[in-house]
């Protein structure tokens, strides 16, 4: 570990306890953000530092493994990490009572859909029970606090019509989707029952250069960068393995969504919105564009009798770049998700800035630069 890495880790693990954070927050407006080490949380911090004068507390757990890479470029006296566990109701109530936040933004979740079948109870406890704990603490100790809950397009699941808007019924097809759908109902019940300013955004798929490597988009771009480097060096490589490449998703850039979240929190009356690009693309399209931006020419080998044998090859050499692996198929697949952002565009005056092609380009270039730097 070099000196720069040591300094970065020392900076980012300076985590405050509740008493330290309470002293710092006295007489100051503040925001609490959970999930701050993820893409949404880190972009939210940057947005608030640029557009407000609030003190920002990012909730994190103390871990022996360094996971603050997305925060390494943030240097401000107005941003502090605080020791926080979303599954501990006592911690939640103490933080809200002591810090008296003006806003509470909940991005934290067990958010990897595939693993929610393996850990359904943990997914529910983290994604649903915690929302009850947060809202109850706000009701009891700080009812003027404005609360945002990050919802998901996975709540719509087995869709009845396309595009999906805020009136679409909740029909989840995964434990993750069910946990988010239940959390949305919790938000509505506490808002209606206790007159709290509590809102949810249905966030359709959103990615970025900061996306976790377990998600399919980042898995694609990271492996495209790896394969490109191996091809350039004349080295053997393992093909990228994916599941359902015909699944259609509505992809946006995470940075666009955090602006919409802040607009939702500052509307006159609380209302939930769908956040989406309004267009859909297949996983297959994402793969094709990724290799194109990496400068790798490709061709598909289609097997009409057995689609599972379909594979993507390098155009010149015929080397297999991508193949299908059935183990990556979900027990219950969501084939199509396409959001209708019309309400958010008209009522919040929000509009996306990064389109699908630019999103893929940024992610691919980012991973190519990272692998070349190693």
């Amino acid at each position: 570990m070099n000196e720069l890495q040591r300094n970065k880790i020392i900076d980012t693990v300076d985590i405050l306890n509740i008493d330290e954070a309470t002293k710092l927050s006295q007489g100051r407006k503040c925001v609490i953000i959970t999930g701050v080490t993820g893409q949404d949380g880190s972009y939210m911090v940057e947005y608030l530092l640029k557009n407000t004068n609030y003190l920002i507390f990012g909730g994190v757990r103390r871990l022996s493994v360094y996971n603050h890479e997305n925060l390494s470029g943030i240097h401000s006296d107005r941003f502090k990490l605080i020791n926080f566990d979303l599954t501990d109701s006592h911690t939640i109530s103490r933080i809200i009572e002591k810090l008296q936040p003006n806003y509470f933004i909940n991005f934290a979740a067990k958010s990897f859909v595939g693993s929610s079948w393996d850990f359904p109870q943990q997914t529910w406890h983290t994604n649903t029970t915690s929302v009850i704990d947060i809202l109850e603490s706000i009701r009891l100790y700080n009812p003027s606090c404005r609360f945002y809950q990050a919802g998901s397009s996975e709540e719509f699941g087995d869709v009845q019509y396309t595009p999906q808007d805020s009136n679409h019924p909740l029909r989840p097809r995964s434990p993750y989707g069910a946990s988010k759908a239940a959390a949305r109902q919790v938000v509505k019940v506490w808002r209606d029952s206790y007159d709290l300013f509590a809102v949810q955004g249905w966030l359709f798929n959103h990615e970025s250069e900061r996306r976790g490597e377990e998600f399919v988009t980042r898995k694609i771009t990271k492996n495209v960068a790896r394969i490109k480097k191996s091809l350039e060096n004349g080295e053997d490589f393992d093909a990228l393995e994916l599941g359902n490449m015909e699944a259609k998703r509505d992809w946006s850039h995470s940075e666009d969504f955090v602006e919409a979240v802040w607009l939702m929190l500052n509307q006159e009356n609380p209302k939930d919105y769908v956040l989406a690009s309004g267009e859909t693309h297949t996983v297959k399209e994402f793969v094709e564009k990724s290799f194109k931006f990496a400068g790798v020419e490709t061709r598909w080998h289609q097997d009409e009798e057995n689609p599972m044998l379909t594979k993507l090859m390098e155009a010149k050499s015929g080397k297999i770049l991508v193949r299908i692996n059935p183990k990556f198929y979900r027990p219950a697949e969501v084939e199509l998700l396409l959001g209708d952002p019309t309400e958010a565009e008209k009522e919040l005056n929000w509009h996306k800035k990064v389109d699908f092609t630019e999103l893929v380009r940024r992610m691919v270039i980012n991973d190519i630069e990272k692998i070349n730097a190693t």
Side-chain angles (χ1 to χ4, degrees):
M1 183 185 300
N2 61 38
E3 188 67 25
L4 178 61
Q5 289 173 318
R6 281 199 297 271
N7 288 339
K8 182 175 70 170
I9 293 174
I10 290 170
D11 287 342
T12 54
V13 298
D14 187 16
I15 302 173
L16 304 180
N17 61 38
I18 294 176
D19 291 335
E20 291 169 333
T22 300
K23 292 178 182 178
L24 192 62
S25 66
Q26 293 299 311
R28 302 175 69 178
K29 293 182 178 181
C30 70
V31 182
I32 294 175
I33 303 173
T34 67
V36 75
T37 59
Q39 60 170 6
D40 297 351
S42 59
Y43 281 122
M44 190 84 248
V45 171
E46 291 177 348
Y47 180 86
L48 294 178
L49 288 174
K50 181 179 179 180
N51 294 282
T52 76
N53 60 359
Y54 289 103
L55 177 63
I56 304 161
F57 291 105
V60 295
R61 290 179 297 162
R62 291 187 184 274
L63 299 172
S64 58
V65 178
Y66 172 66
N67 71 335
H68 299 163
E69 182 180 356
N70 287 338
L71 303 176
S72 61
I74 301 175
H75 305 284
S76 172
D77 291 338
R78 289 196 291 116
F79 173 56
K80 302 294 180 182
L81 297 178
I82 182 172
N83 196 21
F84 188 97
D85 190 337
L86 198 62
T87 62
D88 189 311
S89 60
H90 177 67
T91 300
I92 291 171
S93 63
R94 281 197 67 212
I95 284 178
I96 290 174
E97 180 183 13
K98 296 290 186 180
L99 270 61
Q100 291 291 298
N102 300 83
Y103 299 89
F104 194 113
I105 301 173
N106 186 33
F107 284 134
K110 292 287 291 184
S111 57
F112 186 46
V113 179
S115 71
S116 69
W117 276 278
D118 297 323
F119 304 99
Q121 190 173 44
Q122 186 183 66
T123 298
W124 190 272
H125 189 49
T126 304
N127 296 358
T128 310
T129 306
S130 63
V131 177
I132 296 175
D133 293 335
I134 294 168
L135 287 170
E136 264 297 273
S137 298
I138 289 174
R139 179 182 75 85
L140 292 171
Y141 303 116
N142 189 15
S144 64
C145 175
R146 296 193 169 202
F147 174 73
Y148 173 82
Q149 165 65 16
S152 170
S153 57
E154 291 285 336
E155 298 172 44
F156 299 131
D158 187 15
V159 299
Q160 289 189 328
Y161 61 82
T162 298
Q164 294 86 56
D165 56 24
S166 58
N167 295 314
H168 191 285
L170 305 183
R171 296 163 55 87
R173 287 175 60 81
S174 67
Y176 169 78
S179 71
K180 285 292 189 176
R184 184 263 180 260
Q185 300 295 351
V186 168
V187 170
K188 185 178 185 305
V189 169
W190 259 252
R191 179 173 68 207
D192 294 345
S193 300
Y194 302 115
D195 196 29
L196 299 179
F197 194 105
V199 294
Q200 169 175 296
W202 284 281
L203 277 61
F204 276 67
N205 294 70
H206 52 294
E207 320 297 329
S208 74
E209 303 89 313
R210 301 177 185 177
R211 185 48 128 170
E213 295 175 7
E214 70 273 21
F215 291 88
V216 67
T217 50
R218 186 70 193 287
K219 177 181 177 180
I220 292 168
T221 60
K222 185 178 180 181
N223 278 278
V224 166
R226 172 184 61 82
I227 291 170
K228 172 184 171 64
K229 188 171 185 178
S230 294
L231 287 169
E232 290 174 343
N233 294 338
E235 301 169 343
D236 292 333
F237 58 87
D238 294 326
L240 166 62
E241 294 186 342
L242 297 170
N244 183 7
M245 285 197 284
E246 299 303 326
K248 296 179 179 179
R249 293 293 182 267
D250 181 329
W251 277 300
S252 299
H253 196 288
S254 172
E255 199 168 11
D256 283 343
F257 278 6
V258 299
E259 178 188 13
V261 168
W262 191 242
L263 291 171
M264 288 177 64
L265 279 167
N266 287 280
Q267 56 189 322
E268 184 174 352
N269 298 306
K271 181 178 178 179
D272 303 330
Y273 289 93
V274 165
L275 302 182
S277 72
E279 58 185 60
T280 188
H281 301 273
T282 63
V283 175
K284 185 177 180 180
E285 286 179 77
F286 201 105
V287 170
E288 291 170 341
K289 281 188 177 291
S290 295
F291 277 106
K292 181 179 179 181
F293 283 121
V296 178
E297 295 186 7
T298 63
R299 58 184 172 89
W300 286 99
H301 173 76
Q302 304 284 349
D303 191 306
E304 300 299 335
E305 294 185 3
N306 186 356
M308 288 291 182
L309 298 179
T310 295
K311 47 188 173 286
L312 183 66
M313 301 184 295
E314 188 193 14
K316 293 180 180 180
S317 67
K319 291 182 178 179
I320 299 174
L321 307 174
V322 182
R323 60 163 56 97
I324 295 173
N325 189 331
K327 79 174 184 179
F328 294 117
Y329 275 72
R330 298 176 182 177
E333 185 63 78
V334 177
E335 295 292 342
L336 169 64
L337 289 172
L338 173 60
D340 182 358
T342 303
E343 276 191 321
E345 290 172 346
K346 289 183 177 179
E347 297 177 14
L348 298 177
N349 194 28
W350 170 79
H351 301 278
K352 69 174 185 179
K353 298 180 178 67
V354 180
D355 64 16
F356 174 71
T357 298
E358 176 62 11
L359 169 67
V360 178
R361 189 195 70 80
R362 289 188 188 185
M363 293 180 69
V364 171
I365 297 304
N366 174 70
D367 277 321
I368 290 174
E369 290 176 348
K370 280 191 171 185
I371 201 168
N372 286 339
T374 57

